[in-house]
Amino acid sequence: MPEDTAPADLTTMRFSRAREAQSMAVLEDYAEMIDDLAKQMGEARITDIAARMGVTHPTATKAVARLKREGLAVSRPYRGVFLTELGAEMAARVRMRHRVVVDLLIAVGVPPETAEIDAEGLEHHVSEATLKAFEAYLAKRG
Amino acid sequence: MPEDTAPADLTTMRFSRAREAQSMAVLEDYAEMIDDLAKQMGEARITDIAARMGVTHPTATKAVARLKREGLAVSRPYRGVFLTELGAEMAARVRMRHRVVVDLLIAVGVPPETAEIDAEGLEHHVSEATLKAFEAYLAKRG
DNA sequence: ACAGAAGTGTAGCCACGGCTACACTTTGCA
DNA sequence: TGCAAAGTGTAGCCGTGGCTACACTTCTGT
Ligand SMILES: [Mn+2]
Ligand SMILES: [Mn+2]
Ligand SMILES: [Mn+2]
Ligand SMILES: [Mn+2]
């Protein structure tokens, strides 16, 4: 085995972390989007959530059901969806991280439109440590 | 609607792209891993693939079945798994991209161990345009 | 040579995130 | 005011990627 290869158990841990991060991605994106809609439209309706996510309304309903199950949102039949305090905190955190990721990409030379697109997937795999490093890099750059 | 917000249909496209990228992630990671194992051990066995991915062997078997279905690998019962030419090309591309992502993270100040971990998830959402930008940045930095 | 260990296949379970189809409720307008 | 349009709920399908349990094959060491 080449010495530039990490031990197998460290490799395994990397994959586990990536899977774990991915399992949060849907939750994070919906939380942020519901918060966006609440700010822009006054409330987040299932149809609007679905339209923005690019999915059908039953898919959005299922995602919201998961958010509710995890204590991140509440809703009553035929009414809008609202974030709990926990959900709002997640939304704020996710929005900030998203912005930092986009800014960093642009700072290292990625075209802004591309940065926006790629960030939507990248953001969910940026750890706290990496986020801090990004912020430090951006601060240093002014 | 605030003017710092992208049109809804662009937002929708971002999410679609992220989902699409994600659907390739498993394929990419397995292709790279099978290639690793072929180089390090002579051949890629289901048990070894599973162990490194941190999953059980039936899970690895299913992933390999998908690789075969997509023309990226071949195998015969109770024998090892081998990449096709297409699969080997994907593995090479994925390995290169992984390395660039890790290098870029380190270049902007992310601790190397963290860079390795985060890159495992990030890599799948780095587009060609972003990869080129990363390479340019790294080249400029020497 | 063969028995036990190791490896592999496969059935069948689950959660998730897509979808269509259809029923029901709410909204809005003539 | 009431009816049509819009919105929502829900059942049920699929593919994917996890898992356990168990059967079968291959390998290995005595
Ligand atoms: Mn996202
Ligand atoms: Mn985002
Ligand atoms: Mn990966
Ligand atoms: Mn990788």
Side-chain angles (χ1 to χ4, degrees):
Chain A
M1 49 187 115
E3 73 253 19
D4 65 342
T5 299
D9 55 332
L10 287 187
T11 302
T12 298
M13 194 259 286
R14 275 176 16 212
F15 288 113
S16 298
R17 292 292 209 108
R19 284 194 296 266
E20 190 180 55
Q22 193 54 37
S23 84
M24 297 298 299
V26 168
L27 249 29
E28 293 176 345
D29 283 336
Y30 274 84
E32 184 181 4
M33 164 132 322
I34 289 168
D35 202 48
D36 286 346
L37 288 168
K39 285 173 177 162
Q40 296 168 22
M41 321 271 247
E43 75 173 345
R45 294 154 66 218
I46 285 287
T47 294
D48 295 332
I49 297 171
R52 293 229 186 158
M53 294 296 300
V55 299
T56 58
H57 85 268
T59 297
T61 300
K62 276 193 193 178
V64 169
R66 195 177 157 208
L67 281 176
K68 292 169 75 171
R69 210 184 333 130
E70 311 248 359
L72 298 164
V74 292
S75 74
R76 293 186 355 262
Y78 297 99
R79 290 283 112 90
V81 180
F82 301 91
L83 294 178
T84 62
E85 194 161 343
L86 209 66
E89 277 167 23
M90 170 179 276
R93 208 171 354 106
V94 166
R95 175 176 298 109
M96 190 263 266
R97 190 188 56 191
H98 184 113
R99 207 194 55 243
V100 170
V101 171
V102 169
D103 289 350
L104 181 111
L105 290 175
I106 292 173
V108 300
V110 176
E113 305 81 18
T114 301
E116 273 299 342
I117 295 169
D118 288 13
E120 200 56 73
L122 291 170
E123 57 179 355
H124 309 284
H125 297 92
V126 170
S127 65
E128 271 306 308
T130 294
L131 187 63
K132 287 284 163 293
F134 284 4
E135 286 170 335
Y137 179 87
L138 289 168
K140 189 176 60 186
R141 290 243 141 181
Chain B
M1 52 187 114
E3 73 255 18
D4 66 341
T5 300
D9 54 332
L10 287 187
T11 302
T12 298
M13 194 259 287
R14 273 172 22 209
F15 287 114
S16 298
R17 293 292 208 108
R19 284 193 295 267
E20 192 183 299
Q22 193 54 38
S23 84
M24 297 298 300
V26 168
L27 247 30
E28 292 176 346
D29 282 337
Y30 275 83
E32 185 181 3
M33 164 132 323
I34 289 168
D35 201 49
D36 286 347
L37 287 168
K39 283 173 178 164
Q40 295 168 22
M41 321 270 247
E43 76 175 343
R45 294 153 70 222
I46 285 287
T47 294
D48 294 332
I49 296 170
R52 292 228 186 160
M53 294 296 299
V55 298
T56 58
H57 85 267
T59 297
T61 300
K62 277 193 190 177
V64 168
R66 195 178 157 208
L67 281 177
K68 292 168 75 172
R69 208 182 335 126
E70 312 248 359
L72 297 164
V74 292
S75 74
R76 292 185 358 262
Y78 297 100
R79 289 283 112 91
V81 179
F82 301 91
L83 294 178
T84 61
E85 195 162 342
L86 208 66
E89 278 166 23
M90 169 179 277
R93 207 172 355 106
V94 167
R95 175 176 297 111
M96 191 262 268
R97 190 187 56 191
H98 184 113
R99 207 191 56 234
V100 171
V101 171
V102 169
D103 289 350
L104 180 112
L105 290 174
I106 293 173
V108 300
V110 176
E113 304 80 19
T114 302
E116 272 299 341
I117 295 169
D118 288 12
E120 200 57 74
L122 292 170
E123 56 178 357
H124 308 286
H125 296 91
V126 170
S127 65
E128 270 307 309
T130 295
L131 187 63
K132 287 286 165 290
F134 284 4
E135 287 170 336
Y137 180 88
L138 290 169
K140 188 178 61 189
R141 291 245 141 180

